[in-house]
Structure formats: structure tokens, C-alpha cells
Amino acid sequence: MRFKNCEIKCSKENGVITIESIVVPKDKRGLGWARRAMTMLMKKYAEKDMDLHAYGQDDTTTTAGLVEFYKSFGFVVEAGDDSFGYEMVRK
């Protein structure tokens, strides 16, 4: 799914939507593009269970920051740690 200044890659298996990645160009970060895209995604799949693996992929994104970001959309940590990231779900 492509949104303005943001791309979200998802897959669907057994009725569960898995967020594979969210990519925002470095020069567009901190401007709310990922939040806007996630809001649209949440509306589209409001009735679906969702999961993801939260782990910072570069030096500008922290795992802790991602966990808080996803919590703001109703995701909860199911398992994981700071070294390898966190499995998160929304039901």
C-alpha cells in the first residue's frame, strides 16, 4: 500500500493482516506520514486481527519508539526483547 511519502507492506494469512514494513524516506520522517498511513490502514482493516514485528531497522528509528508508536494504535507486546525486537498484536 502506497501512501503519500510512506509505503506499508502487508500480507494476509488466515484472516490476519501482518504489517511487514513501513518505509518513510529519511527526509520526510518526523512529519506524521507514518501516523497518517497507519490511521488509514487501521480504518481499512478495523475488523481484522493484525500483527507485526517491531524492530528499528536503521540508526534513526529506535525499537522502543516503534513499540510506543504501535501501542498508540492498539497493538500490545506479545513477546520479545530489545535485542531482537517485539512481536505485537492487535485483536
Side-chain angles (χ1 to χ4, degrees):
M1 307 178 99
R2 182 102 179 113
F3 301 93
K4 185 176 181 179
N5 295 314
C6 185
E7 183 176 0
I8 299 180
K9 292 182 183 175
C10 298
S11 62
K12 182 178 179 182
E13 187 174 327
N14 298 324
V16 176
I17 306 300
T18 298
I19 299 173
E20 305 289 346
S21 66
I22 299 178
V23 179
V24 177
K26 285 187 179 185
D27 65 327
K28 303 293 184 191
R29 293 180 185 176
L31 301 174
W33 293 113
R35 183 164 300 283
R36 288 181 200 127
M38 278 294 292
T39 298
M40 292 169 63
L41 188 73
M42 295 292 104
K43 287 180 183 176
K44 181 175 182 171
Y45 295 118
E47 302 301 318
K48 300 285 187 185
D49 291 345
M50 301 180 84
D51 63 17
L52 59 88
H53 181 84
Y55 183 73
Q57 298 292 315
D58 60 39
D59 60 352
T60 66
T61 307
T62 67
T63 299
L66 288 174
V67 168
E68 291 306 311
F69 175 76
Y70 292 122
K71 281 182 176 179
S72 75
F73 289 99
F75 286 85
V76 295
V77 172
E78 201 167 63
D81 60 38
D82 288 337
S83 298
F84 298 104
Y86 294 89
E87 298 298 324
M88 301 183 75
V89 298
R90 187 200 71 154
K91 298 184 180 220

Coordinates of all heavy atoms in Angstrom, one line a residue:
M1 N 0.8 -1.2 0.0 CA 0.0 0.0 0.0 C 0.9 1.2 0.0 O 1.8 1.4 0.8 CB -0.9 0.0 1.2 CG -1.7 -1.2 1.5 SD -2.7 -1.1 3.0 CE -4.2 -0.6 2.2
R2 N 0.6 2.1 -1.0 CA 1.4 3.3 -1.1 C 0.6 4.5 -0.6 O -0.5 4.6 -1.1 CB 1.9 3.4 -2.5 CG 2.8 4.6 -2.7 CD 4.2 4.2 -2.8 NE 5.1 5.4 -3.0 CZ 5.9 5.8 -2.1 NH1 6.1 5.2 -1.0 NH2 6.7 6.8 -2.4
F3 N 1.1 5.2 0.3 CA 0.5 6.5 0.7 C 1.5 7.6 0.4 O 2.7 7.3 0.1 CB 0.3 6.4 2.2 CG -0.6 5.3 2.7 CD1 -0.1 4.1 3.1 CD2 -2.0 5.4 2.7 CE1 -0.9 3.0 3.5 CE2 -2.8 4.4 3.1 CZ -2.2 3.2 3.5
K4 N 1.0 8.8 0.4 CA 1.9 9.9 0.2 C 3.1 9.9 1.1 O 2.9 9.9 2.4 CB 1.2 11.2 0.3 CG 2.0 12.4 -0.1 CD 1.1 13.7 0.0 CE 2.0 14.9 -0.4 NZ 1.2 16.1 -0.4
N5 N 4.3 9.8 0.6 CA 5.5 9.8 1.4 C 5.7 8.6 2.4 O 6.5 8.7 3.3 CB 5.7 11.1 2.2 CG 5.9 12.3 1.2 OD1 6.7 12.2 0.3 ND2 5.1 13.4 1.5
C6 N 5.0 7.6 2.1 CA 5.0 6.4 3.0 C 4.6 5.2 2.3 O 3.6 5.2 1.5 CB 4.1 6.6 4.2 SG 4.2 5.3 5.5
E7 N 5.2 4.0 2.5 CA 4.8 2.8 1.9 C 4.7 1.7 3.1 O 5.6 1.6 3.9 CB 5.8 2.3 0.9 CG 5.4 1.0 0.2 CD 6.4 0.6 -0.8 OE1 7.4 1.3 -1.1 OE2 6.1 -0.5 -1.4
I8 N 3.6 1.1 3.1 CA 3.3 0.0 4.1 C 3.2 -1.3 3.3 O 2.4 -1.4 2.4 CB 2.1 0.2 4.9 CG1 2.2 1.6 5.7 CG2 1.8 -0.9 5.9 CD1 1.0 1.9 6.5
K9 N 4.0 -2.3 3.7 CA 3.9 -3.6 3.1 C 3.2 -4.5 4.1 O 3.6 -4.6 5.3 CB 5.3 -4.1 2.8 CG 6.0 -3.4 1.7 CD 7.4 -3.9 1.3 CE 8.0 -3.1 0.3 NZ 9.4 -3.5 0.0
C10 N 2.2 -5.2 3.6 CA 1.4 -6.1 4.4 C 1.2 -7.4 3.7 O 1.3 -7.5 2.5 CB 0.0 -5.5 4.7 SG 0.0 -3.9 5.6
S11 N 0.9 -8.4 4.5 CA 0.5 -9.7 4.0 C -0.8 -10.2 4.8 O -1.1 -9.6 5.8 CB 1.6 -10.7 4.1 OG 1.9 -11.0 5.4
K12 N -1.5 -11.1 4.2 CA -2.7 -11.6 4.8 C -2.7 -13.1 4.8 O -2.5 -13.7 3.7 CB -3.9 -11.1 4.1 CG -5.2 -11.5 4.7 CD -6.4 -10.9 4.0 CE -7.7 -11.3 4.5 NZ -8.8 -10.8 3.8
E13 N -2.8 -13.7 6.0 CA -2.8 -15.2 6.1 C -3.8 -15.6 7.1 O -3.8 -15.1 8.3 CB -1.4 -15.7 6.4 CG -1.4 -17.2 6.3 CD 0.0 -17.8 6.5 OE1 1.0 -17.1 6.1 OE2 0.2 -18.8 7.0
N14 N -4.7 -16.5 6.8 CA -5.7 -17.0 7.8 C -6.5 -15.8 8.4 O -6.9 -15.9 9.6 CB -5.1 -17.8 8.8 CG -4.4 -19.1 8.3 OD1 -4.9 -19.7 7.3 ND2 -3.3 -19.5 8.8
G15 N -6.8 -14.8 7.6 CA -7.6 -13.7 8.1 C -6.8 -12.7 8.9 O -7.4 -11.7 9.4
V16 N -5.5 -12.9 9.2 CA -4.7 -12.0 10.0 C -3.9 -11.1 9.0 O -3.2 -11.6 8.1 CB -3.8 -12.7 10.9 CG1 -2.9 -11.8 11.7 CG2 -4.6 -13.6 11.9
I17 N -3.9 -9.8 9.3 CA -3.0 -8.9 8.5 C -1.7 -8.7 9.2 O -1.7 -8.4 10.4 CB -3.7 -7.5 8.4 CG1 -5.1 -7.6 7.8 CG2 -2.9 -6.5 7.6 CD1 -5.2 -8.2 6.4
T18 N -0.6 -9.0 8.5 CA 0.7 -8.8 9.1 C 1.4 -7.6 8.4 O 1.5 -7.5 7.2 CB 1.6 -10.0 8.9 OG1 1.0 -11.1 9.5 CG2 3.0 -9.8 9.4
I19 N 1.8 -6.6 9.3 CA 2.5 -5.5 8.7 C 3.9 -5.9 8.6 O 4.6 -6.2 9.6 CB 2.3 -4.2 9.7 CG1 0.9 -3.8 9.7 CG2 3.2 -3.1 9.2 CD1 0.6 -2.8 10.7
E20 N 4.4 -5.9 7.4 CA 5.8 -6.4 7.2 C 6.8 -5.2 7.3 O 7.9 -5.4 7.9 CB 5.9 -6.9 5.7 CG 5.0 -8.1 5.4 CD 5.3 -9.4 6.1 OE1 6.4 -9.5 6.7 OE2 4.4 -10.2 6.1
S21 N 6.4 -4.0 6.8 CA 7.3 -2.9 7.0 C 6.6 -1.6 6.7 O 5.5 -1.6 6.0 CB 8.5 -3.0 6.0 OG 8.1 -2.9 4.7
I22 N 7.1 -0.5 7.3 CA 6.6 0.8 7.0 C 7.9 1.6 6.6 O 8.8 1.7 7.4 CB 5.9 1.5 8.2 CG1 4.7 0.7 8.6 CG2 5.5 2.9 7.9 CD1 3.9 1.2 9.8
V23 N 7.9 2.2 5.5 CA 9.0 2.9 5.0 C 8.7 4.4 4.7 O 7.7 4.7 3.9 CB 9.6 2.3 3.7 CG1 10.8 3.1 3.2 CG2 10.0 0.9 4.0
V24 N 9.4 5.3 5.4 CA 9.2 6.7 5.1 C 10.6 7.2 4.8 O 11.6 7.0 5.5 CB 8.7 7.5 6.4 CG1 8.6 9.0 6.2 CG2 7.3 6.9 6.8
P25 N 10.8 8.0 3.7 CA 12.1 8.5 3.3 C 12.7 9.3 4.5 O 11.9 10.0 5.2 CB 11.8 9.4 2.1 CG 10.6 8.8 1.5 CD 9.8 8.4 2.7
K26 N 14.0 9.2 4.7 CA 14.6 9.9 5.8 C 14.3 11.4 5.9 O 14.1 12.0 6.9 CB 16.1 9.7 5.8 CG 16.5 8.3 6.3 CD 18.0 8.2 6.4 CE 18.4 6.8 6.9 NZ 19.8 6.6 7.2
D27 N 14.2 12.0 4.7 CA 13.9 13.5 4.7 C 12.5 13.8 5.0 O 12.1 15.0 5.1 CB 14.4 14.1 3.4 CG 13.6 13.6 2.2 OD1 13.2 12.4 2.2 OD2 13.4 14.4 1.2
K28 N 11.6 12.8 5.1 CA 10.2 13.0 5.4 C 9.8 12.6 6.8 O 8.6 12.7 7.2 CB 9.3 12.3 4.4 CG 9.6 12.7 2.9 CD 9.2 14.1 2.7 CE 9.4 14.5 1.2 NZ 9.3 15.9 0.9
R29 N 10.7 12.0 7.5 CA 10.4 11.5 8.9 C 10.2 12.6 9.9 O 10.7 13.7 9.7 CB 11.6 10.6 9.3 CG 11.7 9.3 8.5 CD 12.8 8.5 8.9 NE 12.9 7.3 8.0 CZ 13.9 6.4 8.1 NH1 14.8 6.5 9.0 NH2 13.9 5.4 7.2
G30 N 9.4 12.3 10.9 CA 9.0 13.2 11.9 C 7.9 14.2 11.5 O 7.6 15.1 12.2
L31 N 7.3 14.0 10.3 CA 6.3 14.9 9.8 C 4.9 14.3 9.9 O 3.9 14.9 9.4 CB 6.6 15.3 8.4 CG 7.9 16.0 8.2 CD1 8.2 16.2 6.7 CD2 8.0 17.3 8.9
G32 N 4.8 13.1 10.5 CA 3.5 12.5 10.7 C 3.0 11.6 9.5 O 1.9 11.1 9.6
W33 N 3.9 11.3 8.5 CA 3.4 10.5 7.4 C 3.1 9.1 7.8 O 2.1 8.5 7.3 CB 4.4 10.5 6.3 CG 4.6 11.9 5.7 CD1 5.6 12.7 5.7 CD2 3.6 12.6 4.9 NE1 5.4 13.9 5.1 CE2 4.1 13.8 4.6 CE3 2.3 12.3 4.5 CZ2 3.4 14.8 3.8 CZ3 1.6 13.2 3.8 CH2 2.1 14.5 3.5
A34 N 3.9 8.4 8.6 CA 3.7 7.1 9.0 C 2.4 7.0 9.9 O 1.6 6.1 9.7 CB 4.8 6.5 9.8
R35 N 2.2 8.0 10.7 CA 0.9 8.0 11.5 C -0.3 8.1 10.7 O -1.3 7.5 10.9 CB 1.0 9.2 12.6 CG -0.2 9.2 13.5 CD 0.0 10.0 14.7 NE 1.1 9.5 15.5 CZ 1.0 8.5 16.4 NH1 -0.1 7.8 16.4 NH2 2.0 8.1 17.1
R36 N -0.2 9.0 9.7 CA -1.4 9.2 8.8 C -1.7 7.9 8.0 O -2.8 7.4 7.9 CB -1.1 10.3 7.8 CG -1.2 11.6 8.4 CD -0.9 12.8 7.4 NE -0.6 13.9 8.1 CZ 0.5 14.7 7.8 NH1 1.3 14.3 6.8 NH2 0.8 15.7 8.5
A37 N -0.6 7.2 7.5 CA -0.8 6.0 6.8 C -1.3 4.9 7.7 O -2.2 4.1 7.3 CB 0.6 5.6 6.1
M38 N -0.8 4.8 8.9 CA -1.3 3.8 9.8 C -2.8 4.0 10.2 O -3.5 3.1 10.3 CB -0.5 3.8 11.1 CG 0.8 3.0 11.0 SD 0.6 1.2 10.8 CE -0.2 0.7 12.4
T39 N -3.1 5.3 10.3 CA -4.5 5.6 10.6 C -5.4 5.1 9.5 O -6.5 4.5 9.7 CB -4.7 7.1 10.8 OG1 -3.9 7.5 11.9 CG2 -6.2 7.5 11.0
M40 N -5.0 5.3 8.2 CA -5.8 4.8 7.1 C -5.8 3.3 7.1 O -6.9 2.7 6.8 CB -5.2 5.4 5.8 CG -5.4 6.9 5.7 SD -4.5 7.7 4.4 CE -5.2 6.9 2.9
L41 N -4.7 2.7 7.4 CA -4.6 1.2 7.4 C -5.5 0.6 8.5 O -6.2 -0.4 8.3 CB -3.2 0.8 7.6 CG -2.9 -0.7 7.5 CD1 -3.0 -1.2 6.0 CD2 -1.6 -1.1 8.1
M42 N -5.6 1.2 9.6 CA -6.4 0.8 10.7 C -7.9 0.9 10.4 O -8.7 0.0 10.7 CB -6.1 1.6 12.0 CG -4.7 1.4 12.6 SD -4.5 -0.2 13.3 CE -3.4 -0.9 12.1
K43 N -8.2 1.9 9.7 CA -9.6 2.1 9.2 C -10.0 1.0 8.2 O -11.1 0.4 8.3 CB -9.9 3.5 8.6 CG -9.9 4.6 9.7 CD -10.1 5.9 9.0 CE -10.1 7.0 10.1 NZ -10.2 8.3 9.5
K44 N -9.1 0.7 7.3 CA -9.3 -0.3 6.2 C -9.5 -1.7 6.8 O -10.4 -2.4 6.4 CB -8.2 -0.3 5.2 CG -8.4 -1.3 4.1 CD -7.3 -1.2 3.1 CE -7.6 -2.2 2.0 NZ -6.8 -2.0 0.8
Y45 N -8.7 -2.0 7.8 CA -8.7 -3.3 8.4 C -9.3 -3.3 9.9 O -8.8 -4.1 10.7 CB -7.3 -3.9 8.4 CG -6.8 -4.2 7.0 CD1 -5.7 -3.6 6.5 CD2 -7.5 -5.1 6.2 CE1 -5.2 -3.8 5.2 CE2 -7.1 -5.3 4.9 CZ -5.9 -4.7 4.4 OH -5.5 -4.9 3.1
A46 N -10.2 -2.4 10.2 CA -10.7 -2.3 11.5 C -11.2 -3.6 12.1 O -11.1 -3.8 13.3 CB -11.8 -1.2 11.5
E47 N -11.8 -4.4 11.3 CA -12.4 -5.7 11.8 C -11.4 -6.9 11.8 O -11.8 -8.0 12.1 CB -13.7 -6.0 11.0 CG -14.7 -4.9 11.1 CD -15.2 -4.6 12.5 OE1 -15.4 -5.5 13.3 OE2 -15.3 -3.4 12.8
K48 N -10.2 -6.7 11.4 CA -9.2 -7.8 11.2 C -8.2 -7.8 12.4 O -7.8 -6.7 12.9 CB -8.4 -7.6 9.9 CG -9.3 -7.6 8.7 CD -9.8 -9.0 8.4 CE -10.5 -9.0 7.0 NZ -11.0 -10.3 6.8
D49 N -7.8 -9.0 12.7 CA -6.7 -9.1 13.7 C -5.4 -8.7 12.9 O -5.3 -9.0 11.7 CB -6.5 -10.5 14.2 CG -7.6 -11.0 15.1 OD1 -8.4 -10.1 15.6 OD2 -7.8 -12.2 15.3
M50 N -4.4 -8.1 13.6 CA -3.2 -7.7 13.0 C -2.0 -8.1 13.8 O -2.1 -8.1 15.1 CB -3.2 -6.2 12.7 CG -4.4 -5.7 11.9 SD -4.3 -3.9 11.6 CE -3.2 -3.8 10.3
D51 N -0.9 -8.3 13.2 CA 0.4 -8.5 13.9 C 1.5 -7.9 13.2 O 1.4 -7.5 12.1 CB 0.6 -10.0 14.2 CG 0.8 -10.8 13.0 OD1 1.1 -10.3 11.9 OD2 0.7 -12.1 13.2
L52 N 2.7 -7.8 13.9 CA 3.9 -7.2 13.4 C 5.1 -7.5 14.2 O 4.9 -8.0 15.4 CB 3.7 -5.7 13.2 CG 3.4 -4.9 14.5 CD1 4.7 -4.4 15.2 CD2 2.6 -3.6 14.1
H53 N 6.2 -7.3 13.7 CA 7.5 -7.4 14.5 C 8.1 -6.0 14.5 O 8.5 -5.4 13.5 CB 8.4 -8.4 13.8 CG 9.7 -8.6 14.5 ND1 9.8 -9.5 15.6 CD2 10.9 -8.0 14.4 CE1 11.0 -9.4 16.0 NE2 11.7 -8.5 15.3
A54 N 8.2 -5.4 15.7 CA 8.7 -4.0 15.9 C 10.2 -4.1 16.2 O 10.6 -4.6 17.2 CB 8.0 -3.3 17.0
Y55 N 11.0 -3.6 15.2 CA 12.4 -3.6 15.4 C 13.0 -2.4 14.5 O 12.7 -2.4 13.3 CB 13.1 -4.9 15.0 CG 14.5 -5.0 15.2 CD1 15.1 -5.1 16.5 CD2 15.4 -4.9 14.1 CE1 16.4 -5.1 16.7 CE2 16.8 -4.9 14.3 CZ 17.3 -5.0 15.6 OH 18.7 -5.1 15.8
G56 N 13.7 -1.5 15.2 CA 14.3 -0.4 14.4 C 15.3 -0.9 13.4 O 16.2 -1.7 13.7
Q57 N 15.1 -0.5 12.1 CA 15.9 -1.0 11.0 C 17.1 -0.1 10.7 O 18.0 -0.5 9.9 CB 15.1 -1.2 9.8 CG 13.9 -2.2 9.9 CD 14.4 -3.6 10.1 OE1 15.3 -4.0 9.3 NE2 13.9 -4.3 11.0
D58 N 17.2 1.1 11.3 CA 18.3 2.0 11.0 C 18.6 2.8 12.2 O 17.9 2.7 13.2 CB 18.0 2.8 9.7 CG 16.8 3.7 9.8 OD1 16.6 4.2 10.9 OD2 16.1 3.8 8.8
D59 N 19.6 3.7 12.0 CA 20.0 4.5 13.2 C 19.1 5.7 13.5 O 19.3 6.3 14.5 CB 21.5 5.0 13.0 CG 21.6 5.9 11.8 OD1 20.7 6.0 11.0 OD2 22.7 6.4 11.6
T60 N 18.1 5.9 12.8 CA 17.1 7.0 13.1 C 15.8 6.5 13.7 O 15.0 7.2 14.1 CB 16.8 7.8 11.8 OG1 16.1 7.0 10.9 CG2 18.0 8.3 11.2
T61 N 15.7 5.1 13.8 CA 14.5 4.5 14.3 C 14.8 3.6 15.5 O 15.5 2.6 15.3 CB 13.7 3.7 13.2 OG1 13.6 4.6 12.1 CG2 12.4 3.2 13.7
T62 N 14.2 3.9 16.7 CA 14.5 3.0 17.8 C 13.4 2.0 18.0 O 12.2 2.3 17.6 CB 14.6 3.8 19.1 OG1 13.3 4.4 19.4 CG2 15.7 4.9 19.0
T63 N 13.7 0.8 18.5 CA 12.7 -0.2 18.7 C 11.7 0.3 19.8 O 10.5 0.1 19.6 CB 13.4 -1.5 19.2 OG1 14.3 -1.9 18.1 CG2 12.4 -2.6 19.5
A64 N 12.2 1.0 20.8 CA 11.3 1.5 21.9 C 10.3 2.5 21.3 O 9.2 2.5 21.6 CB 12.1 2.1 23.0
G65 N 10.8 3.3 20.4 CA 10.0 4.3 19.7 C 8.9 3.6 18.9 O 7.7 4.1 18.8
L66 N 9.3 2.6 18.2 CA 8.3 1.8 17.4 C 7.3 1.2 18.2 O 6.1 1.2 17.9 CB 9.0 0.8 16.5 CG 9.8 1.3 15.3 CD1 10.6 0.1 14.7 CD2 9.0 2.0 14.3
V67 N 7.7 0.6 19.3 CA 6.7 -0.1 20.2 C 5.7 1.0 20.7 O 4.5 0.7 20.7 CB 7.4 -0.7 21.4 CG1 6.5 -1.2 22.5 CG2 8.2 -2.0 20.9
E68 N 6.1 2.1 21.1 CA 5.2 3.2 21.6 C 4.3 3.6 20.4 O 3.1 3.8 20.6 CB 6.0 4.3 22.2 CG 6.6 4.0 23.5 CD 5.7 3.4 24.5 OE1 4.6 4.0 24.7 OE2 6.0 2.4 25.1
F69 N 4.8 3.8 19.2 CA 4.1 4.1 18.1 C 2.9 3.1 17.8 O 1.8 3.5 17.7 CB 5.0 4.2 16.8 CG 4.3 4.5 15.6 CD1 3.8 5.8 15.2 CD2 4.1 3.5 14.6 CE1 3.2 6.0 14.0 CE2 3.5 3.7 13.4 CZ 3.0 5.0 13.1
Y70 N 3.3 1.9 17.8 CA 2.3 0.8 17.6 C 1.3 0.7 18.7 O 0.1 0.4 18.5 CB 2.9 -0.5 17.2 CG 3.6 -0.5 15.9 CD1 5.0 -0.8 15.8 CD2 3.0 -0.2 14.7 CE1 5.7 -0.8 14.6 CE2 3.6 -0.1 13.5 CZ 5.0 -0.4 13.5 OH 5.6 -0.4 12.3
K71 N 1.7 0.9 19.9 CA 0.8 0.9 21.1 C -0.3 1.9 20.9 O -1.4 1.7 21.3 CB 1.5 1.1 22.4 CG 2.2 -0.1 22.9 CD 2.9 0.2 24.3 CE 3.5 -1.1 24.9 NZ 4.2 -0.7 26.2
S72 N 0.1 3.1 20.3 CA -0.9 4.1 20.1 C -2.0 3.7 19.2 O -3.1 4.4 19.1 CB -0.2 5.4 19.7 OG 0.2 5.4 18.3
F73 N -1.8 2.6 18.4 CA -2.8 2.1 17.5 C -3.5 0.8 18.1 O -4.2 0.1 17.3 CB -2.2 1.8 16.1 CG -1.9 3.1 15.4 CD1 -0.6 3.5 15.4 CD2 -2.8 3.8 14.7 CE1 -0.2 4.7 14.7 CE2 -2.5 4.9 14.0 CZ -1.2 5.4 14.0
G74 N -3.3 0.6 19.3 CA -3.9 -0.6 20.0 C -3.2 -1.9 20.0 O -3.7 -2.9 20.4
F75 N -2.0 -1.9 19.5 CA -1.1 -3.1 19.5 C -0.6 -3.3 20.9 O -0.3 -2.3 21.6 CB 0.0 -3.0 18.5 CG -0.4 -3.1 17.1 CD1 -0.8 -2.0 16.4 CD2 -0.3 -4.3 16.4 CE1 -1.2 -2.1 15.0 CE2 -0.6 -4.5 15.1 CZ -1.1 -3.4 14.4
V76 N -0.4 -4.6 21.3 CA 0.2 -4.9 22.6 C 1.4 -5.9 22.3 O 1.4 -6.6 21.3 CB -0.8 -5.6 23.5 CG1 -1.9 -4.6 23.9 CG2 -1.4 -6.8 22.9
V77 N 2.4 -5.8 23.2 CA 3.5 -6.7 23.1 C 3.1 -8.1 23.5 O 2.5 -8.3 24.5 CB 4.7 -6.1 23.9 CG1 5.8 -7.2 24.0 CG2 5.2 -4.8 23.4
E78 N 3.5 -9.0 22.6 CA 3.2 -10.4 22.9 C 4.4 -11.2 23.4 O 4.4 -12.0 24.2 CB 2.6 -11.1 21.7 CG 1.8 -12.3 22.0 CD 1.0 -12.8 20.8 OE1 1.5 -13.1 19.8 OE2 -0.3 -12.8 21.0
A79 N 5.6 -10.8 22.8 CA 6.8 -11.4 23.2 C 8.0 -10.6 22.6 O 7.8 -9.7 21.8 CB 6.9 -12.8 22.6
G80 N 9.2 -10.9 23.1 CA 10.4 -10.2 22.5 C 11.3 -9.5 23.5 O 11.0 -9.6 24.7
D81 N 12.3 -8.8 23.0 CA 13.2 -8.1 23.8 C 13.9 -7.0 23.0 O 13.7 -6.9 21.8 CB 14.2 -9.0 24.5 CG 15.1 -9.7 23.5 OD1 15.5 -9.1 22.4 OD2 15.4 -10.9 23.8
D82 N 14.7 -6.1 23.7 CA 15.3 -5.0 23.0 C 16.3 -5.4 21.9 O 16.5 -4.7 20.9 CB 16.0 -4.1 24.0 CG 15.0 -3.3 24.8 OD1 13.9 -3.1 24.3 OD2 15.4 -2.9 25.9
S83 N 16.9 -6.6 22.1 CA 17.9 -7.1 21.2 C 17.4 -7.5 19.8 O 18.0 -7.3 18.8 CB 18.7 -8.2 21.8 OG 19.4 -7.9 22.9
F84 N 16.2 -8.2 19.8 CA 15.7 -8.8 18.6 C 14.3 -8.2 18.2 O 13.8 -8.6 17.2 CB 15.6 -10.3 18.8 CG 16.9 -10.9 19.0 CD1 17.3 -11.4 20.2 CD2 17.8 -11.1 17.9 CE1 18.5 -12.0 20.4 CE2 19.0 -11.7 18.1 CZ 19.4 -12.1 19.4
G85 N 13.8 -7.3 19.0 CA 12.5 -6.7 18.7 C 11.4 -7.3 19.4 O 11.6 -8.3 20.2
Y86 N 10.2 -6.9 19.1 CA 9.0 -7.3 19.8 C 7.9 -7.8 18.8 O 7.6 -7.1 17.8 CB 8.4 -6.2 20.7 CG 9.4 -5.8 21.8 CD1 10.3 -4.9 21.6 CD2 9.3 -6.5 23.0 CE1 11.2 -4.6 22.6 CE2 10.2 -6.2 24.0 CZ 11.1 -5.2 23.9 OH 12.0 -4.9 24.9
E87 N 7.3 -8.9 19.1 CA 6.1 -9.3 18.4 C 4.9 -8.6 19.0 O 4.8 -8.6 20.3 CB 5.9 -10.9 18.5 CG 7.1 -11.7 17.9 CD 7.3 -11.4 16.4 OE1 6.3 -11.3 15.7 OE2 8.4 -11.4 16.0
M88 N 4.1 -8.0 18.2 CA 3.0 -7.2 18.7 C 1.7 -7.6 17.9 O 1.8 -8.0 16.8 CB 3.2 -5.7 18.5 CG 4.5 -5.2 19.3 SD 4.7 -3.4 19.2 CE 3.4 -2.9 20.3
V89 N 0.6 -7.6 18.6 CA -0.7 -8.0 18.0 C -1.8 -6.9 18.4 O -1.7 -6.2 19.4 CB -1.2 -9.3 18.5 CG1 -0.2 -10.4 18.1 CG2 -1.4 -9.4 20.0
R90 N -2.8 -6.9 17.5 CA -4.0 -6.1 17.7 C -5.1 -6.9 17.4 O -5.2 -7.5 16.3 CB -4.0 -4.8 16.9 CG -5.1 -3.9 17.3 CD -5.4 -3.0 16.2 NE -6.1 -3.7 15.1 CZ -6.9 -3.2 14.2 NH1 -7.2 -1.9 14.2 NH2 -7.4 -3.9 13.3
K91 N -6.0 -7.1 18.3 CA -7.2 -8.0 18.1 C -8.5 -7.2 18.3 O -8.5 -6.3 18.9 CB -7.2 -9.2 19.0 CG -6.0 -10.1 18.8 CD -6.0 -11.3 19.6 CE -4.7 -12.1 19.3 NZ -4.8 -13.5 19.2

